[in-house]
Amino acid sequence: MYVARIRDKYILKRMPETGSQHALTCASYEPPAVLSGLGEVIGSAIQSNHEDGTTTLRFDFSMTRKKPVTAAGGTAGECASSQVRSDGSRLSLRGVLHYLWSEAGLHRWVPAMVGKRTWSVIHKYLLRAACDKVVRGQALDGLLYVPEPFVLAEKDAILARRMAMFEHARQYGASARSLMLLVGEIKEIKDARYGKKIIIRHLPDCPFLLRSDIGEGLSRRFKNELELWSAFDDVRLMVCGTFGVTISGVPMIEELTLMLVNAQWLPFENCYEKTLLDRLVEERRRFEKCLRYNLAADKPLAAAVLSDTKEAVALYLVPPGSTLNVDEAIAQMREHCSFAAWVWDCSESALPALPSI
């Protein structure tokens, strides 16, 4: 561990890439990066500087827009990123969202958290996670907009803070408009008069328009996420996207990615992972959810890592019809750590008994 001075604060930080060397019960413990998509991007897309305590992030998407944003029809340009083309040298939008979620500690679960995770908590820790991150020489917390919890009595003050924050997304350079990064929970995706718009929870008076090419491809690109969001009442749909503000003052999303989280705000990719996470929470287990970052869907990774067992246990799932080579993933894991492995072949059985504490 070391002490870093960031602006006017002193912060206790863990030395980069040493999380797995801590005890399982330590707050600074982190499973080896090879168990998730973090291993692909750490040291390249994510570069830590322990001298000043900052972390430099490299994005594979633009934080500027060369042509002015005009109307819901948008301007000619590239289609929204599918968020699967990136390699490990730069973070995709999904990679950025997963990284912020991890840095905020929202991928971790202990029984004491039951009933204590609210949007107020999510908002606080996401902003804290961004405070020592740098993107192209700019502080990430100055570019990141996470809607604050809406309180009717503070409506005017909240609006004033939002408008001040949006000033960055209204600024033009010589040839480009600055963009900001949005992270929020989607309440509705609706048809607008022209195109589509997203209503963000806690922002009832501020719809985000979608560029026409994004709106048209949304149901196709994020078919699985939208199906699961519709199927389960306790599932939340998170959005991470870049946005600018039109000449008329309306925010417009340029690129986006979506992420499902369960009732405890733990990310998941399919109904089998949701079943596993719900069982872990129900049985009052302590664990970390492994996140994919930039990894393509055909690359296997651990679903979660238990930290309340004598030795850490990596949990793997094999969804029905999957061609994922879990044996290869487990062999790769054991090249880096001696964790035990638990595997659920979802096509052959119901969820088996979890490893004992």
Side-chain angles (χ1 to χ4, degrees):
M1 306 293 285
Y2 67 98
V3 176
R5 181 178 179 178
I6 302 174
R7 299 174 190 169
D8 59 342
K9 295 181 180 179
Y10 291 91
I11 298 175
L12 184 65
K13 300 193 63 135
R14 184 185 64 218
M15 293 296 287
E17 302 181 52
T18 62
S20 61
Q21 298 175 27
H22 289 254
L24 286 177
T25 54
C26 177
S28 294
Y29 172 77
E30 185 176 69
V34 70
L35 293 180
S36 69
L38 180 62
E40 184 188 37
V41 294
I42 196 74
S44 52
I46 302 170
Q47 299 176 351
S48 298
N49 183 350
H50 67 267
E51 292 183 3
D52 62 7
T54 62
T55 300
T56 299
L57 306 180
R58 301 176 67 200
F59 292 171
D60 84 335
F61 52 90
S62 178
M63 291 300 294
T64 60
R65 179 151 175 82
K66 292 183 179 180
K67 296 182 180 180
V69 180
T70 54
T75 57
E78 294 182 0
C79 292
S81 168
S82 67
Q83 301 311 319
V84 296
R85 70 176 186 273
S86 179
D87 58 20
S89 64
R90 295 180 183 274
L91 283 171
S92 65
L93 267 172
R94 186 184 69 188
V96 172
L97 180 55
H98 284 186
Y99 180 64
L100 288 173
W101 217 256
S102 174
E103 287 292 287
L106 300 173
H107 66 316
R108 296 179 177 176
W109 185 258
V110 298
M113 294 177 180
V114 172
K116 296 180 181 178
R117 279 194 174 172
T118 62
W119 181 249
S120 178
V121 172
I122 305 301
H123 172 265
K124 172 184 176 180
Y125 284 99
L126 282 175
L127 292 182
R128 181 178 293 183
C131 75
D132 56 355
K133 310 301 185 297
V134 177
V135 180
R136 298 185 181 121
Q138 299 185 74
L140 180 58
D141 57 355
L143 302 174
L144 177 64
Y145 178 63
V146 183
E148 59 183 290
F150 181 76
V151 179
L152 184 60
E154 299 178 19
K155 179 180 178 181
D156 292 340
I158 291 173
L159 175 60
R161 287 191 289 270
R162 184 178 77 215
M163 292 181 67
M165 191 76 179
F166 279 14
E167 276 305 307
H168 180 88
R170 291 190 180 94
Q171 296 172 9
Y172 284 96
S175 60
R177 175 195 291 273
S178 298
L179 299 178
M180 294 185 66
L181 196 64
L182 164 72
V183 175
E185 181 190 352
I186 293 178
K187 181 179 180 181
E188 291 181 277
I189 302 174
K190 303 174 66 174
D191 288 331
R193 187 163 294 174
Y194 302 102
K196 290 187 178 292
K197 61 184 177 181
I198 289 179
I199 308 300
I200 304 295
R201 201 169 295 278
H202 299 284
L203 282 178
D205 60 340
C206 183
F208 281 72
L209 295 180
L210 295 179
R211 257 178 47 193
S212 59
D213 50 353
I214 302 178
E216 292 167 2
L218 194 68
S219 60
R220 180 179 65 256
R221 166 66 188 92
F222 297 104
K223 181 175 182 291
N224 292 338
E225 288 85 352
L226 294 173
E227 282 181 353
L228 288 163
W229 184 44
S230 297
F232 297 100
D233 292 338
D234 60 342
V235 166
R236 298 180 171 94
L237 186 62
M238 307 302 300
V239 61
C240 177
T242 59
F243 72 95
V245 177
T246 67
I247 294 172
S248 59
V250 177
M252 178 178 290
I253 291 177
E254 296 288 328
E255 295 186 67
L256 63 76
T257 191
L258 303 180
M259 179 180 79
L260 295 163
V261 296
N262 69 358
Q264 291 75 35
W265 302 88
L266 295 164
F268 68 93
E269 296 182 357
N270 52 55
C271 63
Y272 306 102
E273 280 197 354
K274 181 181 185 299
T275 298
L276 173 62
L277 294 176
D278 290 347
R279 176 69 63 84
L280 289 169
V281 171
E282 180 185 330
E283 295 192 5
R284 300 183 59 80
R285 303 303 297 266
R286 188 173 71 243
F287 62 94
E288 289 194 15
K289 177 70 180 70
C290 297
L291 303 176
R292 189 168 288 276
Y293 292 78
N294 287 14
L295 278 183
D298 60 354
K299 300 291 185 181
L301 77 161
V305 174
L306 287 175
S307 56
D308 58 2
T309 47
K310 185 176 181 181
E311 300 291 340
V313 180
L315 310 179
Y316 290 87
L317 305 183
V318 184
S322 172
T323 58
L324 297 178
N325 191 335
V326 172
D327 291 337
E328 181 180 324
I330 293 172
Q332 183 184 24
M333 172 193 74
R334 287 178 174 154
E335 291 177 4
H336 299 270
C337 60
S338 58
F339 287 11
W342 174 94
V343 180
W344 174 25
D345 186 337
C346 307
S347 64
E348 294 186 357
S349 67
L351 181 67
L354 295 167
S356 59
I357 297 175

